[in-house]
Amino acid sequence: MKRAVLVNGVPASGKSTVARVVSDRYGWPLFAIDTVKEPFFTELGIGDRDYNRKLGRAAYAAIFDTIAGFPDGLTVVVEAWFGFQPAEVLARHLAHAGIEARVELWCHAPPEEIGRRYAARVALRPAGHPGLDYVPELVALAGRAQPIGAGPLLAVDTTRGLDLAGLDRFLEMSLAATRR
């Protein structure tokens, strides 16, 4: 059996920062959707939003296909906006990868803060990601987005920083029953 820490949230919610802390703190491998997707922009070119979404779906599948080849007993950190596809897609990927135990870290911030963060980093991101015109849509999305409920949940308000002691307690309690 494999275990996963699913670091979830809309773009610019602080997922990458939280996922990196978790990966570094526990020594678990990190799979981030943008890390998988961005090389495709370089090799295959950029396109419209539909093309970006297609690459996102391919990256999502590649992450779980890779994890499927790993040995049982492994814990991985997977960072993505899991709400961009139907819940059934994630369930299929988790089953295919052999991930039987998972927890969700829900990264969130006020919608206006998420819009500000996204706008501030547009110029720093590789071409292929949506530009400034995406900010109003993202702010609206951030106002209605919810966790996926794929396992025990820890909500992380990324405007306040990460409570490491609370994270340790949450992961210990939530993953303890699944350890061999």
Side-chain angles (χ1 to χ4, degrees):
M1 170 181 45
K2 296 171 199 145
R3 296 171 296 273
V5 177
L6 304 175
V7 183
N8 187 20
V10 300
S13 63
K15 297 182 306 295
S16 297
T17 300
V18 170
R20 174 54 51 206
V21 167
V22 172
S23 176
D24 289 349
R25 187 168 180 82
Y26 299 99
W28 296 330
L30 170 60
F31 295 89
I33 197 163
D34 283 348
T35 302
V36 175
K37 181 169 73 169
E38 288 171 357
F40 292 122
F41 294 151
T42 303
E43 296 298 321
L44 302 176
I46 59 173
D48 60 12
R49 289 282 298 283
D50 285 337
Y51 182 74
N52 183 307
R53 288 181 182 118
K54 180 185 266 188
L55 292 182
R57 289 188 301 272
Y60 200 63
I63 287 170
F64 291 103
D65 282 352
T66 301
I67 295 168
F70 288 168
D72 282 345
L74 183 71
T75 301
V76 296
V77 179
V78 181
E79 179 256 308
W81 161 225
F82 292 103
F84 85 99
Q85 292 193 94
E88 309 81 59
V89 173
L90 175 60
R92 279 195 312 271
H93 285 311
L94 291 169
H96 169 69
I99 297 170
E100 296 179 22
R102 62 245 177 207
V103 298
E104 179 180 0
L105 302 183
W106 172 246
C107 298
H108 64 94
E112 299 74 23
E113 173 63 13
I114 287 175
R116 186 198 65 70
R117 289 176 184 173
Y118 191 90
R121 72 181 196 194
V122 163
L124 305 174
R125 299 193 79 199
H129 290 283
L132 286 173
D133 57 335
Y134 178 59
V135 172
E137 180 183 339
L138 177 59
V139 169
L141 174 64
R144 67 179 185 277
Q146 297 291 318
I148 54 174
L153 173 74
L154 178 67
V156 179
D157 179 344
T158 59
T159 63
R160 298 175 189 235
L162 186 57
D163 170 11
L164 294 176
L167 174 68
D168 290 343
R169 284 190 304 276
F170 171 76
L171 291 174
E172 178 63 31
M173 290 174 52
S174 300
L175 295 174
T178 65
R179 290 199 179 105
R180 289 180 181 245

